[in-house]
Amino acid sequence: MSLASQQRPITIQDIQGYKARGERFVMLTAYDHPTAQILDQAGVGLLLVGDSLGDNVLGYPSTVPVTLDEMIHHAAAVRRGAHRALVIGDLPFMSYQVSPEDGMRAAGRLLKEAGVTAVKLEGGRRCAELVARLVDAGIPVMGHIGLTPQSVNVLGYRVQGRETSGADRLLDDAVALAEAGAFSIVVEAVPAELGQRITGAVDVPTIGIGAGPHTDGQVLVINDVLGLSTGPHPRFAKAYADLRSVITDAVKSLSAEVASGDYPGPEHSY
Ligand code: KIV
């Protein structure tokens, strides 16, 4: 049974089964209740409340300013709208980098206060100890390697792992995360061939974003998929709709009808 057709809530074990059977799956970001409901009912099995909340919804220039309280607020709304999909919440910048204890407390708040099932964090081998401790405490963890937007001020928004040394480091990061107990790993903005090598090197599912066609799953930011984003788009950000135009046309029609007196009509009045 595919993730899209499964009626009962999706579990971590279901996701892992997909790699075992070679079935590809989709994860999408969601930041609010109505979007979560639509995606859940459309059969999307994994909803990521990403810290891309910052640049996609809150108007920040990057993910760096996003706070844990903001993540919890939005993750709780998504969780209330998702009845089947597995909801994963991002640990925001500086909620886990200083000490594993910070990371444990932040992850605990996301599970207890927002109701997410799992957390995601950025970083490879350097996060392995925290991943192991979280899993040991009963908190499923999704890793995230390659382009890690929380490190934009060090890395920029550049494709990672183009040279052999960088590629080897990312392979080592993926293996370290899997060995520490991560249940899946997001791989962002790496050459397709490296996405394939990482996917072959670990038993847990990889979920690519700009990592080519060979990862076990694909993740995209919902604002990109729906055509709501502005500014320069990364190459992988394929739009499947143009909601900016739909919304613009709708509100222009409303404004025109109010100006002409056509709205509200008798059917909209008491
Ligand atoms: O924050 C986010 O939306 C992400 C995805 C792009 C993987 O980390």
Side-chain angles (χ1 to χ4, degrees), residues 29 48 50-52 90 120 144 186 188 209 219 221:
T29 67
L48 170 66
D51 59 357
S52 53
D90 251 342
K120 178 168 81 58
H144 184 160
V186 168
E188 179 162 354
I209 174 160
V219 54
V221 167

Side-chain angles (χ1 to χ4, degrees), residues 14 18 20 36 39 45 55 71 77-79 109 134 149 153 178 219 269:
D14 291 324
Y18 279 85
L39 301 184
D55 35 342
M71 286 304 306
V78 168
R79 182 66 193 84
R109 285 193 64 198
L134 287 168
N153 293 316
V219 54
S269 305

Side-chain angles (χ1 to χ4, degrees), residues 45-259:
L46 285 93
L47 296 183
L48 170 66
V49 189
D51 59 357
S52 53
L53 169 73
D55 35 342
N56 282 279
V57 172
L58 298 181
Y60 295 149
S62 72
T63 63
V64 170
V66 176
T67 66
L68 182 59
D69 285 337
E70 287 167 340
M71 286 304 306
I72 290 171
H73 185 254
H74 285 263
V78 168
R79 182 66 193 84
R80 288 192 289 272
H83 299 293
R84 270 179 67 255
L86 187 88
V87 179
I88 303 123
D90 251 342
L91 287 175
F93 182 55
M94 291 316 277
S95 68
Y96 61 98
Q97 282 88 346
V98 175
S99 71
E101 287 73 23
D102 278 357
M104 302 279 293
R105 285 196 194 93
R109 285 193 64 198
L110 269 168
L111 263 74
K112 287 170 80 87
E113 296 176 38
V116 303
T117 298
V119 299
K120 178 168 81 58
L121 49 75
E122 296 184 6
R125 186 165 285 284
R126 72 179 154 82
C127 295
E129 181 196 342
L130 172 58
V131 171
R133 285 179 64 173
L134 287 168
V135 175
D136 194 45
I139 300 181
V141 183
M142 178 179 278
H144 184 160
I145 60 172
L147 195 169
T148 44
Q150 291 177 10
S151 305
V152 59
N153 293 316
V154 174
L155 299 176
Y157 291 115
R158 270 200 303 276
V159 176
Q160 301 293 303
R162 282 199 197 273
E163 333 73 37
T164 313
S165 59
D168 289 347
R169 204 167 38 247
L170 287 175
L171 272 165
D172 177 65
D173 280 339
V175 170
L177 288 170
E179 285 177 355
F183 73 92
S184 67
I185 303 171
V186 168
V187 184
E188 179 162 354
V190 303
E193 190 252 333
L194 179 57
Q196 183 170 27
R197 284 174 66 204
I198 292 172
T199 301
V202 292
D203 286 341
V204 298
T206 56
I207 309 180
I209 174 160
H214 306 293
T215 52
D216 299 300
Q218 297 287 333
V219 54
L220 284 174
V221 167
I222 190 65
N223 291 37
D224 293 337
V225 173
L226 298 182
L228 284 168
S229 309
T230 50
H233 296 299
R235 176 192 295 213
F236 55 77
K238 180 171 177 187
Y240 286 81
D242 182 8
L243 288 199
R244 272 193 105 81
S245 301
V246 171
I247 292 169
T248 304
D249 290 349
V251 298
K252 280 186 174 168
S253 298
L254 167 65
S255 300
E257 288 194 9
V258 169

Side-chain angles (χ1 to χ4, degrees), residues 15-31:
I15 311 298
Q16 289 173 320
Y18 279 85
K19 180 165 186 129
R21 290 195 296 280
E23 288 173 41
R24 298 199 170 152
F25 58 91
V26 169
M27 176 163 83
L28 286 171
T29 67
Y31 314 104

